Amino acid sequence: MTDQKKPTGNDWLTMSRRSVLKALVSVPVFGVFFVEFLRKKAGDDVKRRALLAELGVSESGPAVIRNAISRPPGKRIRLGIIGYGGEGESLVRHAGFAHPDWIDEAKKNHDEDPRDKELETYLGQDDLNVALTAVCDLFDVRTERAIAASQVTQRPGGGAANPPAKRFKRYTDLLASGEVDAVIIATPDHWHAPIAIEAMKAGKDVYCEKPMTRTVEEARKFYEAAQATNRVVQIGSQTTSSDQWWKARKAIEDGMIGKLLMSQGSYHRNSIEGEWNWKIDEAAGPEGKGDDYIDWKMWLGNA
C-alpha cells in the first residue's frame, strides 16, 4: 500500500482552476470577464464543498452536526449524579434516564400538540452506554425521583433497564463507594468547585454545571486539581461546549472561509410556552421533616 498524500482543499482548488482555464481556451468569446468570474466561482464552490465536508453537513439536507460522541464506548460507564434538582434531572435525562412521569407528560404534550418533539428527541438520542448507579441529594423527594429515573424502561436506542441507583446522603460517601466512574455535579453554585475537586482527587471524571467556581482562588484550585489528576472534566456551558464550535475554529484556522473580518453570535430558545419559573417544593427547607429528610446545614455549606 503506497503512502499517498490526500488532496487538500488548496489542491482541489488548483485542479479546478486548471480545468476551468483549459476549457475556456477553446471558447475565447467569453472574454476576460467570464474567465475571472468562472475562476472565482470554481474556487468558491470547492471551498464550500470542502467546508461542508469538514463539518459533516450535506448540501441537500439540513445543517445538523452530529454529537461529538458518535459511537458508545466499549465499556459501560457508571455514572453518579450529585444534586438532582431541576438541572440535575435534565442532565440525567440527556444521559438517557428520564423519569417515568416525565415520559408520560411528554407523551401527553405530543398528543395535544404534535409540534412538541421532546419525547421523540429523548428516544432519538445516542445510547451513550452508561448506567446511573449512584445518587446523592439532601432532599428525599429529589432522590426518589432520581432512583426512579435510573431504572426507567423507555431508553434511547431501546436500551435495557438498569438496576436502581444506590442512594448516598453525603457526596463524600458516593465518591468513596467504588460505585461510579464519573459524576455529574448539579448542586447549588457554592458546592460546584469543592465537590468537583474532591471528585477528581478520588479518580472520577467530572461534568460540572456552570458556574465552574465562584472565586478566582477556587478557579486556580480547580485547574490545579484537573492538571494533577489528569481526569476528564467538562463544564456545562450549554451549546458553547458543543463540537460545532471546534469545527468552526478549525475551518477559520485552515483558511476555508477566507479572511475573518467579523463574527456575530446569538442565542435563541425555541420554547412554545416562553420562559419558565421553577416552583419550590413546599416540603423543602429547614422546617421539613427533620435532619433525615433534608440536612439544611449541609445544604448551606460555606454559603
Side-chain angles (χ1 to χ4, degrees):
M1 188 174 181
T2 59
D3 184 15
Q4 295 181 339
K5 180 183 177 183
K6 185 179 179 180
T8 65
N10 289 333
D11 293 333
W12 287 117
L13 178 58
T14 301
M15 293 165 62
S16 297
R17 284 176 173 172
R18 187 180 301 118
S19 300
V20 170
L21 292 174
K22 282 183 177 180
L24 290 176
V25 168
S26 61
V27 193
V29 293
F30 278 177
V32 176
F33 174 80
F34 285 103
V35 171
E36 292 303 320
F37 172 80
L38 291 175
R39 187 205 306 268
K40 184 180 185 304
K41 185 178 186 304
D44 290 345
D45 288 345
V46 170
K47 286 182 179 179
R48 186 183 71 256
R49 288 194 294 270
L51 177 59
L52 293 176
E54 177 68 23
L55 298 178
V57 178
S58 170
E59 291 191 71
S60 60
V64 177
I65 301 174
R66 289 185 55 78
N67 295 332
I69 301 176
S70 58
R71 296 179 182 176
K75 182 180 178 182
R76 182 173 292 266
I77 298 173
R78 299 173 303 162
L79 182 65
I81 176 68
I82 303 175
Y84 192 81
E87 189 64 24
E89 181 168 340
S90 175
L91 291 170
V92 166
R93 185 165 64 247
H94 284 86
F97 300 90
H99 189 278
D101 288 351
W102 181 91
I103 292 178
D104 292 341
E105 184 70 18
K107 286 180 180 177
K108 177 183 176 183
N109 291 340
H110 177 70
D111 290 341
E112 294 176 352
D113 185 352
R115 295 177 300 168
D116 192 313
K117 302 291 185 181
E118 280 198 306
L119 182 59
E120 180 181 323
T121 300
Y122 165 71
L123 294 175
Q125 295 178 112
D126 290 335
D127 181 357
L128 300 179
N129 199 23
V130 301
L132 183 59
T133 57
V135 176
C136 178
D137 198 289
L138 298 174
F139 191 21
D140 288 347
V141 171
R142 303 304 306 181
T143 303
E144 290 165 5
R145 284 188 66 86
I147 293 173
S150 71
Q151 50 191 326
V152 67
T153 57
Q154 290 182 273
R155 301 196 53 237
N162 290 284
K166 291 186 178 181
R167 193 264 171 96
F168 294 89
K169 286 277 190 177
R170 296 287 186 272
Y171 73 88
T172 50
D173 294 335
L174 183 151
L175 296 176
S177 68
E179 295 287 338
V180 300
D181 305 303
V183 294
I184 294 174
I185 300 172
T187 60
D189 296 354
H190 62 281
W191 274 113
H192 286 183
I195 296 176
I197 291 170
E198 289 196 47
M200 287 184 271
K201 291 180 177 179
K204 314 304 177 187
D205 295 326
V206 172
Y207 180 98
C208 181
E209 257 306 314
K210 62 181 184 302
M212 184 179 80
T213 67
R214 294 189 304 158
T215 67
V216 173
E217 184 59 30
E218 278 187 342
R220 290 195 182 100
K221 291 179 179 179
F222 197 112
Y223 173 80
E224 290 167 359
Q227 292 294 306
T229 60
N230 197 32
R231 303 315 307 175
V232 176
V233 181
Q234 184 177 10
I235 306 304
S237 50
Q238 295 192 343
T239 59
T240 53
S241 296
S242 299
D243 190 43
Q244 64 259 34
W245 305 113
W246 293 94
K247 291 181 176 179
R249 175 188 176 184
K250 187 175 188 305
I252 294 170
E253 289 179 342
D254 290 350
M256 297 174 69
I257 64 173
K259 184 179 180 180
L260 180 63
L261 300 177
M262 184 185 74
S263 175
Q264 178 176 324
S266 59
Y267 190 96
H268 304 277
R269 190 179 302 281
N270 186 19
S271 176
I272 296 174
E273 298 179 358
E275 191 57 272
W276 55 79
N277 292 291
W278 298 113
K279 294 181 180 179
I280 298 177
D281 192 288
E282 294 180 359
E287 306 301 328
K289 297 182 180 179
D291 289 342
D292 290 338
Y293 188 69
I294 181 169
D295 188 339
W296 189 248
K297 185 176 180 179
M298 181 67 180
W299 190 94
L300 288 175
N302 61 11

